[in-house]
């Protein structure tokens, strides 16, 4: 086969892959290519050499083998919520057609790589079962879970990756493997936290929890309450039991459809809250925050677990965004004051949202079966997102970096794999301890001998 360059021999070589797959292959310029190659964050421009919309697990096998034979890097995309690099010249495997979703009333689910949490939540609702999704049900189960998956009930139930029973995965050596804790313990360890460093997951099977209802939602306060509510939240968090998971959002939402009138165009603060025990206890624990100011909106109530996406109400539509995140050792009163001083009202902050998530509880315990997910002992996560496309993007990113510097006294000095998109290999590496990174790199060398998954992931050694 001719080597694939940007010009020479390209069509002929891709034709050989095209003839081996049930799905559709799009090369740059083909109708359909741009739609598939555009991530959720449209400020990230990607330019893969081609996109294979895989229809079967065997298509993924063919793609990986083809890439190895032609010296291409391979990347994978389901929803595009966390694309890690520009994918320049790579073969992108798009998984949205791998859409099988089985929910067993006995308490487990099996999902194809293209399935989002939205589908799982809907399929679980009638059975009173809950999957450990993140704040945005629009992300894929595979992408989220392979990065650990730390969501709005994490303090009660830990990380989503701790609930995985098995994966089907195409490793870099072009083999489709069924991976369990018993059958391939090393791979099972690395796939739970290592994202796509070792292969492309085609199926995830995971346990569900019996949790039909939660006491959950958000309290929203106005501009004048931002400092007081942030300070009160910092003092309230350490008092909470593991049944409660909370985050604080400093928000500047634009006036647009879907944004409630009291919040539109204003600087507000939201206290997000999920209580997994009974509602009366949940209300008792929340009482200090209800009293921290006069809420503009009090949307905390008993709701079906399937509506958990309402707690954060993350944007669903694609948008141009500049994201940044880090982990914190603490969120003391001083930290709260510093954060408000850096991004509060009257600072001219360009960030749409600056969010602090409380970790701890069940998340900080090591799981029964160890995994590559690190930094479970971080106390809080700090995340910011600004709506920005070039040329404003660097200014928003610089501002976010400044906010993180302002919080230096509380920096944990690491990140999480699901929040390191855009940081390249270095950002991704910061998601792991040196020991875990070394073990992942060793596994990558074994399972991905041609370093096909080299883009923004763990370097093989
Ligand atoms: C609005 C928003 C809210 C979020 N909330 C949370 C949250 O609460 N908790 C949390 O932990 N994360 C959260 N995230 C991060 C999110 O979980 C990651 O970005 C995740 O990677 C998205 O997966 P995806 O497949 O939907 O995205 P994609 O951009 O399609 O994929 C991102 C990456 O996931 C990996 N991946 C995807 N599919 C596969 C596969 N089949 N096999 C192997 N690897 C794969 C790859 O490394 C890929 O580069 C949030 C992100 C956004 C944008």
């Amino acid at each position: 086969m001719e080597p694939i360059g940007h010009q020479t021999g390209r069509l002929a070589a891709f034709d050989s892959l095209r003839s081996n797959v049930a799905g559709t292959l799009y090369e740059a310029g083909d109708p359909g290519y741009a739609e598939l190659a555009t991530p959720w964050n449209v400020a990230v421009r990607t330019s893969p050499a081609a996109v294979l919309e895989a229809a079967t697990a065997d298509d993924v096998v063919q793609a990986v083998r083809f890439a190895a034979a032609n010296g291409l890097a391979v990347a994978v995309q389901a929803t595009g919520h966390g694309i890690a690099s520009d994918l320049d010249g790579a073969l992108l495997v798009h998984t949205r057609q791998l859409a099988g979703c089985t929910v067993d009333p006995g308490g487990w689910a099996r999902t194809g790589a293209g399935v989002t949490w939205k589908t799982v939540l809907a399929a679980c609702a009638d059975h009173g079962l809950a999957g450990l999704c993140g704040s945005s049900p629009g992300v894929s189960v595979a992408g989220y879970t392979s990065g650990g998956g730390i969501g709005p009930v994490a303090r009660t139930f830990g990380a989503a990756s701790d609930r995985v029973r098995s994966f089907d995965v195409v490793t870099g050596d072009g083999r489709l493997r069924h991976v369990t804790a018993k059958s391939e313990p090393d791979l099972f360890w690395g796939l739970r936290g290592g994202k796509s460093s070792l292969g492309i997951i085609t199926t995830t099977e995971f346990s569900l929890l019996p949790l039909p209802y939660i006491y959950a939602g958000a309290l929203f306060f106005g501009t004048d309450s931002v400092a007081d509510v942030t300070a009160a939240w910092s003092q309230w968090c350490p008092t909470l039991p593991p049944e409660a998971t909370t985050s604080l959002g400093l928000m500047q939402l634009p006036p647009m459809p879907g944004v409630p009138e009291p919040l539109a165009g204003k600087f507000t603060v939201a206290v997000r809250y999920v209580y997994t025990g009974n509602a009366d206890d949940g209300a008792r624990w929340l009482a200090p925050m209800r009293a921290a100011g006069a809420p503009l909106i009090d949307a905390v109530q008993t709701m079906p677990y399937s509506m958990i996406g309402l707690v954060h109400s993350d944007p669903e539509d694609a948008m141009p965004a500049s994201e940044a995140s880090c982990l914190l050792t603490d969120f003391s009163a001083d930290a709260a004051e510093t954060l408000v001083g850096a991004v509060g009202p009257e600072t001219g902050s360009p960030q749409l949202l600056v969010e602090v998530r409380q970790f701890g509880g069940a998340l900080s315990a090591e799981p029964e079966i160890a995994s590559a997910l690190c930094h479970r002992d971080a106390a809080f996560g700090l995340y910011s997102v600004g709506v920005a496309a070039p040329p404003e993007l660097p200014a928003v990113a610089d501002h976010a970096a400044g906010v993180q510097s302002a919080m230096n006294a509380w920096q944990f000095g690491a990140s999480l794999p699901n929040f390191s998109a855009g940081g390249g290999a270095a950002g991704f590496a910061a998601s792991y301890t040196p020991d875990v990174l070394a073990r992942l790199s060793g596994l990558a060398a074994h399972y991905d001998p041609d370093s096909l998954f080299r883009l923004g992931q763990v370097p093989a050694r």
Side-chain angles (χ1 to χ4, degrees), residues 150-220:
I150 296 176
V153 292
R155 282 173 44 82
T156 312
F157 300 115
S161 55
D162 298 339
R163 305 276 160 175
V164 174
R165 293 161 36 134
S166 71
F167 292 109
D168 292 336
V169 61
V170 179
T171 41
D173 52 8
R175 283 181 56 190
L176 175 62
R177 301 164 189 263
H178 183 66
V179 179
T180 66
K182 287 215 170 101
S183 71
E184 307 228 28
D186 278 349
L187 206 44
F188 192 68
W189 172 88
L191 289 170
R192 292 171 304 130
K195 293 191 76 84
S196 50
S197 308
L198 306 174
I200 297 180
I201 295 160
T202 57
T203 309
T204 309
E205 190 175 299
F206 52 98
S207 305
L208 302 167
L209 295 151
L211 188 66
Y213 294 99
I214 46 179
Y215 183 72
L219 304 174
F220 297 90

Coordinates of all heavy atoms in Angstrom, one line a residue, residues 150-220:
I150 N -16.5 11.9 37.4 CA -16.8 12.4 38.8 C -17.9 13.4 38.6 O -17.8 14.5 38.1 CB -15.5 13.1 39.3 CG1 -14.4 12.1 39.5 CG2 -15.8 13.8 40.7 CD1 -13.1 12.7 39.9
G151 N -19.1 13.0 39.1 CA -20.3 13.7 38.8 C -21.0 14.2 40.1 O -20.5 14.2 41.2
P152 N -22.3 14.6 39.9 CA -23.0 15.3 41.0 C -23.4 14.4 42.2 O -24.0 15.0 43.1 CB -24.3 15.8 40.3 CG -24.0 15.7 38.8 CD -23.0 14.6 38.7
V153 N -23.2 13.1 42.1 CA -23.4 12.3 43.4 C -22.0 11.6 43.8 O -22.1 10.6 44.4 CB -24.5 11.3 43.2 CG1 -25.9 12.0 43.1 CG2 -24.3 10.4 42.0
A154 N -20.9 12.2 43.3 CA -19.6 11.5 43.6 C -19.3 11.4 45.0 O -18.6 10.4 45.4 CB -18.5 12.3 42.9
R155 N -19.7 12.3 45.9 CA -19.4 12.1 47.3 C -20.1 11.0 48.0 O -19.6 10.4 49.0 CB -19.7 13.5 48.0 CG -18.6 14.5 47.8 CD -19.0 15.9 48.4 NE -19.5 15.8 49.7 CZ -18.8 15.7 50.8 NH1 -17.5 15.7 50.8 NH2 -19.4 15.6 52.0
T156 N -21.2 10.6 47.4 CA -21.9 9.4 47.9 C -21.4 8.1 47.3 O -21.2 7.1 48.0 CB -23.4 9.5 47.7 OG1 -23.9 10.8 48.0 CG2 -24.2 8.4 48.5
F157 N -21.2 8.1 46.0 CA -21.0 6.8 45.3 C -19.6 6.7 44.6 O -19.3 5.7 44.0 CB -22.1 6.6 44.3 CG -23.5 6.6 44.9 CD1 -24.4 7.5 44.6 CD2 -23.8 5.6 45.8 CE1 -25.7 7.5 45.1 CE2 -25.1 5.5 46.3 CZ -26.0 6.5 46.0
G158 N -18.8 7.8 44.7 CA -17.4 7.7 44.1 C -17.5 7.9 42.6 O -18.4 8.5 42.1
A159 N -16.4 7.4 41.9 CA -16.2 7.7 40.5 C -17.0 6.6 39.7 O -17.1 5.5 40.1 CB -14.7 7.7 40.2
A160 N -17.4 7.0 38.5 CA -18.2 6.1 37.6 C -17.3 4.9 37.2 O -17.8 3.8 37.1 CB -18.6 6.9 36.4
S161 N -16.0 5.2 37.1 CA -15.1 4.1 36.6 C -15.0 3.0 37.6 O -14.7 1.8 37.3 CB -13.7 4.7 36.3 OG -13.2 5.3 37.5
D162 N -15.4 3.3 38.9 CA -15.4 2.2 39.9 C -16.5 1.2 39.8 O -16.6 0.2 40.4 CB -15.4 2.8 41.3 CG -14.2 3.7 41.6 OD1 -13.2 3.5 40.9 OD2 -14.3 4.6 42.5
R163 N -17.5 1.6 38.9 CA -18.7 0.7 38.7 C -18.6 -0.1 37.4 O -19.5 -0.8 37.1 CB -19.9 1.6 38.6 CG -20.1 2.5 39.8 CD -20.8 1.8 40.9 NE -20.6 2.6 42.2 CZ -21.1 2.3 43.3 NH1 -21.9 1.2 43.5 NH2 -20.8 3.0 44.4
V164 N -17.5 0.0 36.7 CA -17.4 -0.8 35.5 C -17.2 -2.3 35.7 O -16.5 -2.7 36.6 CB -16.2 -0.3 34.6 CG1 -16.0 -1.1 33.4 CG2 -16.4 1.2 34.2
R165 N -17.9 -3.1 35.0 CA -17.8 -4.5 35.1 C -16.9 -5.1 34.0 O -16.2 -6.0 34.2 CB -19.2 -5.2 35.0 CG -20.1 -4.8 36.2 CD -21.6 -5.0 36.0 NE -22.0 -6.1 35.2 CZ -23.0 -7.0 35.6 NH1 -23.6 -6.8 36.8 NH2 -23.4 -7.9 34.8
S166 N -17.0 -4.5 32.8 CA -16.2 -4.9 31.7 C -16.1 -3.9 30.6 O -17.0 -3.0 30.5 CB -16.7 -6.3 31.1 OG -17.9 -6.0 30.4
F167 N -15.1 -4.0 29.8 CA -15.0 -3.2 28.5 C -14.8 -4.2 27.4 O -14.1 -5.2 27.5 CB -13.8 -2.3 28.5 CG -13.8 -1.1 29.5 CD1 -13.0 -1.2 30.6 CD2 -14.7 0.0 29.3 CE1 -13.0 -0.1 31.5 CE2 -14.7 1.0 30.2 CZ -13.8 1.0 31.3
D168 N -15.3 -3.8 26.2 CA -14.7 -4.4 25.0 C -13.9 -3.2 24.4 O -14.4 -2.1 24.3 CB -15.9 -4.7 24.0 CG -16.7 -5.9 24.5 OD1 -16.1 -6.7 25.3 OD2 -17.8 -6.0 24.1
V169 N -12.7 -3.5 24.0 CA -11.8 -2.5 23.6 C -10.9 -3.0 22.5 O -10.4 -4.1 22.5 CB -10.9 -2.0 24.8 CG1 -10.1 -3.1 25.4 CG2 -10.0 -0.8 24.5
V170 N -10.6 -2.1 21.5 CA -9.7 -2.4 20.5 C -8.4 -1.7 20.9 O -8.3 -0.5 20.9 CB -10.2 -1.9 19.1 CG1 -9.1 -2.2 18.0 CG2 -11.5 -2.4 18.8
T171 N -7.4 -2.5 21.2 CA -6.1 -2.0 21.6 C -5.3 -1.6 20.4 O -5.6 -1.9 19.3 CB -5.4 -3.0 22.5 OG1 -5.5 -4.3 21.9 CG2 -5.9 -3.0 23.9
G172 N -4.2 -0.9 20.7 CA -3.3 -0.4 19.6 C -2.7 -1.4 18.8 O -2.2 -1.1 17.6
D173 N -2.7 -2.7 19.2 CA -2.2 -3.8 18.4 C -3.3 -4.4 17.5 O -3.1 -5.4 16.8 CB -1.6 -4.9 19.3 CG -2.6 -5.3 20.4 OD1 -3.7 -4.9 20.3 OD2 -2.2 -6.1 21.3
G174 N -4.4 -3.7 17.5 CA -5.5 -4.1 16.5 C -6.3 -5.3 16.9 O -7.0 -5.9 16.1
R175 N -6.3 -5.6 18.2 CA -7.1 -6.7 18.7 C -8.3 -6.2 19.5 O -8.2 -5.3 20.3 CB -6.3 -7.6 19.6 CG -5.3 -8.5 18.9 CD -4.5 -9.4 19.8 NE -5.4 -10.2 20.7 CZ -4.9 -10.9 21.8 NH1 -3.7 -10.8 22.1 NH2 -5.8 -11.6 22.5
L176 N -9.5 -6.9 19.3 CA -10.7 -6.6 20.1 C -10.6 -7.5 21.3 O -10.6 -8.7 21.1 CB -11.9 -6.8 19.2 CG -13.3 -6.7 19.9 CD1 -13.5 -5.2 20.5 CD2 -14.4 -7.0 19.0
R177 N -10.6 -6.9 22.5 CA -10.5 -7.7 23.7 C -11.7 -7.4 24.6 O -12.1 -6.3 24.7 CB -9.2 -7.3 24.5 CG -7.9 -7.5 23.7 CD -6.8 -6.7 24.4 NE -5.6 -6.6 23.6 CZ -4.6 -7.4 23.8 NH1 -4.6 -8.4 24.7 NH2 -3.5 -7.3 23.0
H178 N -12.1 -8.5 25.3 CA -13.1 -8.4 26.3 C -12.4 -8.3 27.6 O -11.6 -9.2 28.0 CB -14.1 -9.6 26.3 CG -15.2 -9.4 27.3 ND1 -16.2 -8.4 27.3 CD2 -15.4 -10.1 28.4 CE1 -17.0 -8.6 28.3 NE2 -16.6 -9.6 29.0
V179 N -12.5 -7.2 28.3 CA -11.6 -6.9 29.5 C -12.4 -6.9 30.8 O -13.3 -6.0 30.9 CB -10.8 -5.6 29.2 CG1 -9.9 -5.3 30.4 CG2 -10.0 -5.6 27.9
T180 N -12.1 -7.7 31.7 CA -12.6 -7.6 33.0 C -11.5 -7.6 34.0 O -10.3 -7.8 33.7 CB -13.5 -8.9 33.4 OG1 -12.6 -10.0 33.4 CG2 -14.6 -9.1 32.3
A181 N -11.8 -7.4 35.3 CA -10.8 -7.4 36.4 C -10.1 -8.7 36.4 O -8.9 -8.7 36.7 CB -11.5 -7.1 37.7
K182 N -10.7 -9.8 36.0 CA -10.1 -11.1 36.1 C -9.4 -11.4 34.8 O -8.2 -12.0 34.8 CB -11.1 -12.2 36.3 CG -11.7 -12.2 37.8 CD -12.0 -13.6 38.2 CE -12.3 -13.6 39.7 NZ -13.7 -13.6 40.1
S183 N -10.0 -11.1 33.6 CA -9.4 -11.6 32.4 C -8.1 -10.8 32.0 O -7.2 -11.4 31.5 CB -10.4 -11.5 31.2 OG -10.6 -10.1 30.9
E184 N -8.1 -9.5 32.2 CA -7.0 -8.7 31.8 C -6.8 -7.6 32.9 O -7.1 -6.4 32.6 CB -7.1 -8.0 30.5 CG -7.5 -9.0 29.4 CD -6.6 -8.8 28.1 OE1 -5.5 -8.4 28.2 OE2 -7.1 -9.2 27.0
P185 N -6.3 -8.0 34.1 CA -6.3 -7.0 35.2 C -5.5 -5.7 34.9 O -6.0 -4.6 35.3 CB -5.7 -7.8 36.3 CG -5.3 -9.1 35.8 CD -5.8 -9.3 34.5
D186 N -4.4 -5.8 34.2 CA -3.6 -4.6 33.9 C -4.4 -3.6 33.0 O -4.5 -2.4 33.3 CB -2.3 -4.9 33.2 CG -1.3 -5.4 34.2 OD1 -1.5 -5.2 35.4 OD2 -0.2 -5.9 33.8
L187 N -5.0 -4.2 32.0 CA -5.8 -3.3 31.0 C -7.0 -2.8 31.7 O -7.4 -1.6 31.5 CB -6.2 -4.2 29.8 CG -6.4 -3.6 28.5 CD1 -5.4 -2.5 28.1 CD2 -6.5 -4.6 27.4
F188 N -7.6 -3.6 32.5 CA -8.8 -3.1 33.3 C -8.5 -2.0 34.2 O -9.2 -1.0 34.3 CB -9.4 -4.3 34.1 CG -10.8 -4.0 34.7 CD1 -11.9 -3.9 33.8 CD2 -11.0 -3.9 36.0 CE1 -13.2 -3.6 34.3 CE2 -12.3 -3.6 36.5 CZ -13.3 -3.5 35.7
W189 N -7.3 -2.1 34.8 CA -6.8 -1.0 35.7 C -6.6 0.3 34.8 O -7.1 1.4 35.2 CB -5.5 -1.4 36.3 CG -4.7 -0.4 37.1 CD1 -4.9 0.0 38.4 CD2 -3.7 0.5 36.5 NE1 -4.1 1.0 38.7 CE2 -3.3 1.4 37.6 CE3 -3.1 0.7 35.3 CZ2 -2.4 2.3 37.5 CZ3 -2.1 1.6 35.1 CH2 -1.8 2.5 36.2
G190 N -5.9 0.1 33.7 CA -5.5 1.3 32.9 C -6.7 2.0 32.2 O -6.6 3.2 31.9
L191 N -7.7 1.2 31.8 CA -8.8 1.8 31.0 C -9.7 2.6 31.9 O -10.4 3.5 31.4 CB -9.6 0.7 30.4 CG -8.9 0.0 29.2 CD1 -9.8 -1.3 28.8 CD2 -8.8 0.9 28.0
R192 N -9.6 2.4 33.2 CA -10.4 3.2 34.2 C -9.6 4.4 34.7 O -9.0 4.3 35.7 CB -10.9 2.3 35.3 CG -12.0 1.3 34.8 CD -12.3 0.3 35.8 NE -11.1 -0.4 36.3 CZ -10.8 -0.6 37.5 NH1 -11.6 -0.1 38.5 NH2 -9.7 -1.2 37.9
G193 N -9.5 5.4 33.9 CA -8.7 6.6 34.2 C -7.7 7.0 33.1 O -7.4 8.2 33.0
G194 N -7.3 6.0 32.3 CA -6.4 6.3 31.2 C -6.9 6.8 29.9 O -6.2 7.0 29.0
K195 N -8.2 7.0 29.9 CA -8.9 7.4 28.6 C -8.5 6.5 27.5 O -8.4 5.3 27.6 CB -8.7 8.9 28.4 CG -9.5 9.7 29.6 CD -9.6 11.2 29.3 CE -10.6 11.5 28.3 NZ -12.0 11.6 28.9
S196 N -8.2 7.2 26.3 CA -7.9 6.4 25.1 C -6.4 6.1 25.0 O -6.0 5.8 23.8 CB -8.5 7.1 23.9 OG -8.1 8.4 23.9
S197 N -5.6 6.1 26.0 CA -4.2 5.8 25.9 C -3.9 4.4 25.4 O -2.9 4.2 24.9 CB -3.5 6.0 27.3 OG -3.8 7.2 27.8
L198 N -4.8 3.5 25.8 CA -4.5 2.1 25.5 C -5.4 1.5 24.4 O -5.0 0.5 23.8 CB -4.7 1.3 26.8 CG -3.9 1.8 28.0 CD1 -4.3 1.0 29.2 CD2 -2.4 1.7 27.7
G199 N -6.5 2.2 24.0 CA -7.3 1.6 23.0 C -8.6 2.4 22.9 O -8.9 3.3 23.6
I200 N -9.4 1.9 21.9 CA -10.8 2.5 21.7 C -11.8 1.5 22.3 O -11.9 0.4 21.9 CB -11.0 2.8 20.2 CG1 -10.0 3.8 19.7 CG2 -12.5 3.2 20.1 CD1 -10.2 4.1 18.3
I201 N -12.5 2.0 23.3 CA -13.6 1.2 23.9 C -14.8 1.1 23.0 O -15.2 2.1 22.4 CB -14.0 1.8 25.3 CG1 -12.8 1.8 26.3 CG2 -15.2 1.2 25.8 CD1 -13.0 2.8 27.4
T202 N -15.3 -0.1 22.7 CA -16.5 -0.2 21.9 C -17.7 -0.5 22.7 O -18.8 -0.1 22.3 CB -16.3 -1.3 20.8 OG1 -16.0 -2.5 21.5 CG2 -15.1 -1.0 19.9
T203 N -17.5 -1.1 23.9 CA -18.7 -1.4 24.8 C -18.2 -1.2 26.2 O -17.1 -1.6 26.6 CB -19.2 -2.8 24.6 OG1 -19.4 -3.1 23.2 CG2 -20.5 -3.1 25.4
T204 N -19.1 -0.6 27.0 CA -18.9 -0.5 28.5 C -20.0 -1.2 29.2 O -21.2 -0.9 28.9 CB -18.8 1.0 28.9 OG1 -17.9 1.7 28.1 CG2 -18.4 1.2 30.4
E205 N -19.7 -2.0 30.1 CA -20.7 -2.6 31.0 C -20.5 -2.2 32.4 O -19.4 -2.3 32.9 CB -20.7 -4.1 30.9 CG -21.9 -4.8 31.5 CD -21.9 -6.3 31.3 OE1 -21.9 -6.8 30.1 OE2 -21.8 -7.0 32.3
F206 N -21.5 -1.7 33.0 CA -21.3 -1.1 34.4 C -22.6 -1.3 35.3 O -23.7 -1.5 34.8 CB -21.0 0.4 34.3 CG -22.0 1.2 33.5 CD1 -23.0 1.9 34.1 CD2 -21.9 1.2 32.1 CE1 -23.9 2.6 33.3 CE2 -22.9 1.9 31.3 CZ -23.8 2.6 31.9
S207 N -22.3 -1.2 36.6 CA -23.4 -1.4 37.6 C -24.2 -0.2 37.7 O -23.7 0.9 37.6 CB -22.8 -1.8 38.9 OG -22.0 -2.9 38.8
L208 N -25.5 -0.4 38.0 CA -26.4 0.7 38.3 C -26.8 0.7 39.7 O -26.7 -0.4 40.4 CB -27.6 0.6 37.4 CG -27.4 0.6 35.9 CD1 -28.7 0.1 35.1 CD2 -27.0 2.0 35.4
L209 N -27.3 1.8 40.2 CA -27.7 1.9 41.7 C -29.2 2.0 41.8 O -29.8 2.7 41.0 CB -27.0 3.1 42.3 CG -25.5 3.0 42.4 CD1 -24.9 4.4 42.3 CD2 -25.1 2.3 43.6
P210 N -29.8 1.4 42.8 CA -31.2 1.7 43.0 C -31.4 3.1 43.6 O -31.1 3.3 44.8 CB -31.6 0.6 44.0 CG -30.3 0.2 44.7 CD -29.2 0.6 43.8
L211 N -31.8 4.0 42.8 CA -31.9 5.4 43.3 C -32.9 6.2 42.4 O -32.6 6.9 41.5 CB -30.5 6.1 43.2 CG -30.4 7.5 43.9 CD1 -30.6 7.5 45.4 CD2 -29.1 8.2 43.6
P212 N -34.2 5.9 42.7 CA -35.2 6.5 41.8 C -35.3 8.0 41.9 O -35.6 8.7 41.0 CB -36.5 5.9 42.2 CG -36.3 5.0 43.4 CD -34.8 5.0 43.6
Y213 N -35.1 8.5 43.2 CA -35.3 10.0 43.4 C -34.1 10.5 44.2 O -33.4 9.8 44.9 CB -36.5 10.2 44.3 CG -37.8 9.8 43.6 CD1 -38.4 8.6 43.8 CD2 -38.4 10.7 42.6 CE1 -39.6 8.3 43.1 CE2 -39.5 10.3 41.9 CZ -40.1 9.1 42.2 OH -41.2 8.8 41.5
I214 N -33.9 11.8 44.0 CA -32.9 12.6 44.7 C -33.5 13.9 45.2 O -34.5 14.4 44.5 CB -31.6 12.9 43.8 CG1 -32.0 13.4 42.4 CG2 -30.7 11.6 43.7 CD1 -30.9 13.7 41.5
Y215 N -32.9 14.5 46.2 CA -33.3 15.8 46.6 C -32.2 16.7 46.0 O -31.1 16.7 46.5 CB -33.4 15.9 48.1 CG -33.8 17.2 48.7 CD1 -35.2 17.6 48.5 CD2 -33.0 18.1 49.3 CE1 -35.6 18.8 49.0 CE2 -33.4 19.3 49.8 CZ -34.7 19.7 49.6 OH -35.1 20.9 50.1
A216 N -32.6 17.5 45.0 CA -31.5 18.1 44.2 C -32.0 19.3 43.5 O -33.2 19.6 43.3 CB -31.0 17.1 43.2
G217 N -31.0 20.1 43.1 CA -31.3 21.3 42.3 C -30.3 22.4 42.6 O -29.1 22.1 43.0
A218 N -30.6 23.6 42.4 CA -29.7 24.7 42.6 C -30.4 25.9 43.3 O -31.6 26.1 43.0 CB -29.1 25.2 41.3
L219 N -29.7 26.6 44.1 CA -30.2 27.9 44.7 C -29.4 29.0 43.9 O -28.2 28.9 43.8 CB -29.8 28.0 46.2 CG -30.3 26.9 47.1 CD1 -29.7 27.2 48.5 CD2 -31.8 26.9 47.2
F220 N -30.1 30.0 43.5 CA -29.4 31.1 42.8 C -29.6 32.4 43.6 O -30.7 32.7 44.0 CB -30.0 31.3 41.4 CG -29.9 30.1 40.5 CD1 -30.9 29.1 40.5 CD2 -28.8 30.0 39.6 CE1 -30.8 28.0 39.6 CE2 -28.7 28.9 38.8 CZ -29.7 27.9 38.8

